[in-house]
Amino acid sequence: MFKRVVRQSKFRHVFGQAVKNDQCYDDIRVSRVTWDSSFCAVNPKFVAIIVEASGGGAFMVLPLNKTGRIDKAYPTVCGHTGPVLDIDWCPHNDQVIASGSEDCTVMVWQIPENGLVTSMPEPVVVLEGHSKRVGIVTWHPTARNVLLSAGCDNVIIIWNVGTGEAIITLEDMHPDIIFSVCWNRNGSLICTACKDKKVRVIDPRKEDIVAEKDKAHEGARPIRAIFLSDGKVFTTGFSRMSERQLALWDPENMEEPISVHEMDTSNGVLLPFYDPDTNVVYLCGKGDSSIRYFEITDEAPFVHYLNTFITKEPQRGMGYMPKRGLDVNKCEIARFYKLHERKCEPIIMTVPRKSDLFQDDLYPDTAGPEAPLEAEEWFEGKNGDPVLISLKHAYIPGKNRDLKVVKKNILDNKLSKNTENTTPAIKTATSTPSIKSEAKLDEVLKEMKSLRELVSSQEKRIANLEQQLSKMDI
């Protein structure tokens, strides 16, 4: 499938592992809506899953530690009158989530600190402006309270959630259904993939198409496009022969792709998840039972195949944990939440390391929850890079090293005491012990003497009891 070249990379040995059954979320009726979104959104506090709901749309919000079987009566977020199609957690507030639905509305919800106690029918904000169902919602990466939504009316709206207003409306740019929308690293541009087979890079504030590529993938099935941290665009789609493809593009020259790879002939849409800190892209196909991962570098062939994680069950959706929610002690570089028909199963990706120190090379500073810009500043034309945080404070040093040292010292003391007890002649010859150590020695000797006496008295008692027992047998 790929030209295998042995190449130095710290991610060559990344391996995936599904957690044990008791750490899964069981008995969840995952939505059956035919829409190519991930159906799951995760942050360091909660996992949200779109579920089947009679007479409307609902999604479930579970605290991460609420594993095991989920009660059928567990409360849901249930304000939509049509099925929910997409959900996205706010990157600047772990308790705020947005949802788009078939009822043509976008709703923003504030989840209580410890999760839901009762069902939540009332959102904080209702955003109305689309004339057809809303299939995509995605928060701005660096400006607070800025939310983008895309509907089947082929319109993109960018909202100021704080005021509930539609500030930017991008009409007439897409003649057909929009398959995906992605912000770039600082949120100054968006890239979109449309049913007309075009990938567009758009400056939303100028309402201008900066670059576009016709027939980025020639197949008729959906295309996905995401921005990489260096500004390049990564796409997944299908060839004319219905083979799944992935490609890398430079927005400054969209004539020819930097790199194209053909993969297989499955018809599941590939959902790309990107880690900007390590430049690794994970591809999860809907209906597949595998996660493929690739490293993107500046050297040919630019997209390097790393490995594939394979399970038995196909996935109906997939959630991806932000970097700040990972366990750095286990060298975890990604965590997925795979949706089955009736459960959600976390999958952990780790880089095996022998050292138990914090691994700086795996965890460069990552985007934190602080927003560098307010909504008004961004709409006025300002840009801001993500405020980076170090994950080192999340690292808990292993305590076993200290314990080993302590145990070693205890053993050393015992050994020295034993030598003192067994060779008093040598001791007096070599050194004159202090009054403290003599007193300690007397104390130890007294205790040993009393223990010996206790043992001998117990032995006598046991002998008497055995004698009595033998007489009873006779």
Side-chain angles (χ1 to χ4, degrees):
M1 181 172 69
F2 285 89
K3 191 179 174 188
R4 306 253 176 175
V5 180
V6 177
R7 188 182 60 88
Q8 279 300 105
S9 168
K10 51 184 173 264
F11 305 110
R12 272 184 63 207
H13 304 292
V14 169
F15 72 95
Q17 196 171 19
V19 300
K20 291 176 182 167
N21 274 341
D22 60 342
Q23 290 171 282
C24 295
Y25 307 87
D26 271 318
D27 221 11
I28 295 167
R29 292 174 301 158
V30 177
S31 174
R32 296 174 179 276
V33 176
T34 52
W35 184 254
D36 289 321
S37 81
S38 56
F39 287 173
C40 181
V42 196
N43 71 13
K45 277 189 180 175
F46 301 107
V47 52
I49 301 160
I50 301 174
V51 292
E52 280 288 290
S54 52
F59 60 94
M60 196 175 262
V61 176
L62 302 167
L64 288 186
N65 57 9
K66 174 100 179 108
T67 52
R69 191 178 165 278
I70 307 300
D71 195 323
K72 281 195 173 100
Y74 194 84
T76 56
V77 179
C78 55
H80 285 287
T81 55
V84 178
L85 300 179
D86 197 19
I87 48 177
D88 193 34
W89 286 105
C90 175
H92 309 123
N93 186 336
D94 286 342
Q95 285 161 241
V96 173
I97 188 167
S99 57
S101 163
E102 278 194 10
D103 63 11
C104 310
T105 64
V106 177
M107 293 185 180
V108 179
W109 313 82
Q110 175 112 23
I111 306 298
E113 180 79 38
N114 300 314
L116 297 176
V117 182
T118 58
S119 286
M120 185 181 274
E122 289 296 320
V124 181
V125 189
V126 180
L127 306 172
E128 294 175 319
H130 287 283
S131 58
K132 289 188 180 174
R133 60 184 181 164
V134 182
I136 298 166
V137 287
T138 176
W139 290 92
H140 193 285
T142 58
R144 195 190 313 279
N145 290 345
V146 176
L147 179 68
L148 178 150
S149 64
C152 292
D153 50 5
N154 313 334
V155 173
I156 291 174
I157 299 177
I158 300 175
W159 310 85
N160 182 343
V161 176
T163 60
E165 294 173 289
I167 307 293
I168 297 169
T169 304
L170 303 178
E171 296 177 287
D172 308 325
M173 285 191 181
H174 300 89
D176 216 325
I177 288 174
I178 301 160
F179 288 137
S180 79
V181 183
C182 177
W183 295 97
N184 69 348
R185 182 88 163 139
N186 69 357
S188 58
L189 300 171
I190 56 173
C191 70
T192 65
C194 178
K195 198 174 180 179
D196 66 354
K197 300 183 188 176
K198 281 189 183 181
V199 170
R200 295 171 174 84
V201 176
I202 299 168
D203 185 328
R205 288 170 296 191
K206 290 180 182 169
E207 301 188 17
D208 177 39
I209 297 173
V210 178
E212 69 178 353
K213 172 63 182 171
D214 192 16
K215 294 188 178 172
H217 296 276
E218 297 202 341
R221 291 190 56 71
I223 299 172
R224 282 275 189 284
I226 58 168
F227 265 116
L228 304 182
S229 55
D230 60 0
K232 292 189 180 75
V233 173
F234 180 89
T235 61
T236 64
F238 293 79
S239 70
R240 193 179 290 166
M241 307 299 291
S242 291
E243 289 176 308
R244 291 201 288 196
Q245 289 180 325
L246 50 99
L248 189 63
W249 307 85
D250 183 352
E252 290 177 13
N253 179 16
M254 296 282 273
E255 285 303 306
E256 288 297 318
I258 298 168
S259 170
V260 179
H261 290 297
E262 243 113 59
M263 285 168 57
D264 55 21
T265 52
S266 173
N267 60 3
V269 175
L270 287 167
L271 306 176
F273 296 95
Y274 174 60
D275 179 358
D277 306 326
T278 57
N279 259 338
V280 176
V281 173
Y282 302 86
L283 300 182
C284 310
K286 269 208 141 178
D288 284 14
S289 50
S290 63
I291 300 171
R292 293 178 178 85
Y293 31 109
F294 302 82
E295 188 176 2
I296 306 206
T297 64
D298 295 332
E299 67 208 38
F302 304 104
V303 180
H304 304 270
Y305 171 74
L306 291 172
N307 212 332
T308 303
F309 169 74
I310 300 172
T311 54
K312 292 174 186 172
E313 297 283 322
Q315 56 232 15
R316 301 196 46 169
M318 194 68 81
Y320 180 62
M321 175 66 82
K323 209 66 177 284
R324 58 195 173 89
L326 301 179
D327 187 344
V328 296
N329 289 290
K330 292 178 181 168
C331 294
E332 186 182 1
I333 61 158
R335 191 188 311 156
F336 292 93
Y337 285 74
K338 173 180 168 177
L339 300 185
H340 299 243
E341 214 164 301
R342 301 284 297 189
K343 76 169 179 179
C344 173
E345 174 186 46
I347 292 165
I348 290 164
M349 300 279 180
T350 47
V351 176
R353 289 282 165 98
K354 285 179 181 172
S355 167
D356 55 353
L357 297 170
F358 178 73
Q359 305 295 316
D360 297 85
D361 61 329
L362 296 183
Y363 302 106
D365 289 357
T366 190
E370 191 60 45
L373 296 174
E374 294 299 323
E376 291 73 19
E377 292 178 295
W378 184 80
F379 286 116
E380 283 165 11
K382 279 190 186 175
N383 289 323
D385 287 325
V387 178
L388 302 182
I389 56 166
S390 168
L391 294 178
K392 200 161 190 173
H393 69 276
Y395 170 72
I396 302 161
K399 290 175 183 158
N400 52 352
R401 281 170 297 173
D402 304 336
L403 286 171
K404 278 176 193 167
V405 174
V406 174
K407 281 179 183 170
K408 192 177 170 191
N409 289 351
I410 290 165
L411 286 172
D412 287 349
N413 292 344
K414 280 188 179 173
L415 282 169
S416 61
K417 280 175 189 173
N418 287 349
T419 50
E420 281 176 0
N421 295 347
T422 49
T423 56
I426 298 165
K427 179 176 73 74
T428 48
T430 53
S431 64
T432 51
S434 65
I435 298 161
K436 261 189 185 178
S437 61
E438 274 186 356
K440 186 78 178 164
L441 186 63
D442 285 347
E443 198 183 311
V444 170
L445 288 169
K446 271 183 189 172
E447 197 173 338
M448 282 172 68
K449 191 180 175 187
S450 67
L451 281 170
R452 280 200 188 105
E453 284 169 2
L454 183 65
V455 168
S456 63
S457 69
Q458 295 292 354
E459 280 174 348
K460 280 175 190 172
R461 181 163 165 70
I462 289 165
N464 286 338
L465 288 168
E466 281 175 344
Q467 212 172 349
Q468 284 177 29
L469 193 65
S470 62
K471 284 175 184 173
M472 285 166 92
D473 287 343
I474 293 157

